Amino acid sequence: MPDDRVTVFIVDDDDAVRQSLVWMLAGVDLAGDAFASAEAFLASVTAQRRGCLLVDLHLPGLSGAALLDALDARGFSLPVIVISGDVAVADIVGTLQPRVFGYLRKPCSEHALLTQIRAALTAAHRIAH
């Protein structure tokens, strides 16, 4: 049976960032599922899960860009929002199109992040139907 929950998947190696994002999402009635590494995310996600992915490209082990490659190889079509504190990541994001739905630089405003998330979830709904 498919899982009908819509989830914002968070992949970031910073525990405080993961916790604050899950807390922020809960405050606006969105489900957040946080992972400390790309490997942990890949081990638990299934193609039936719907939602969007917030990912930092600079992760220990498998990088965020390699995570996107792995998702492509598995046929996953989650809209991706890159969040990063590295200014140079903006240049990298351009090379990852069209897989990347949006990009935000840390720290970003809650309003900007929620706007991106809601747009990505709308796109995810269109992909699923």
Side-chain angles (χ1 to χ4, degrees):
M1 171 185 274
D3 189 337
D4 289 337
R5 292 177 299 164
V6 175
T7 303
V8 179
F9 301 100
I10 302 157
V11 182
D12 196 301
D13 61 327
D14 186 323
D15 187 52
V17 169
R18 289 191 314 275
Q19 289 179 2
S20 66
L21 289 172
V22 169
W23 178 81
M24 179 198 70
L25 292 168
V28 293
D29 294 324
L30 290 172
D33 199 355
F35 303 88
S37 69
E39 293 86 352
F41 174 69
L42 287 171
S44 70
V45 74
T46 64
Q48 290 77 29
R49 296 290 305 270
R50 297 182 315 123
C52 70
L53 172 63
L54 294 178
V55 63
D56 189 340
L57 294 183
H58 294 293
L59 298 169
L62 193 64
S63 72
L67 170 59
L68 299 183
D69 290 340
L71 291 173
D72 284 350
R74 294 179 183 196
F76 289 12
S77 56
L78 292 170
V80 176
I81 300 168
V82 171
I83 54 173
S84 181
D86 186 351
V87 177
V89 170
D91 297 330
I92 297 168
V93 168
T95 67
L96 299 174
Q97 297 297 343
R99 296 182 288 179
V100 175
F101 184 84
Y103 164 71
L104 293 167
R105 184 158 176 242
K106 294 179 192 173
C108 60
S109 75
E110 182 175 318
H111 174 74
L113 182 56
L114 287 173
T115 298
Q116 285 277 342
I117 289 169
R118 287 185 178 116
L121 291 174
T122 298
H125 179 74
R126 281 193 297 264
I127 291 168
H129 293 95

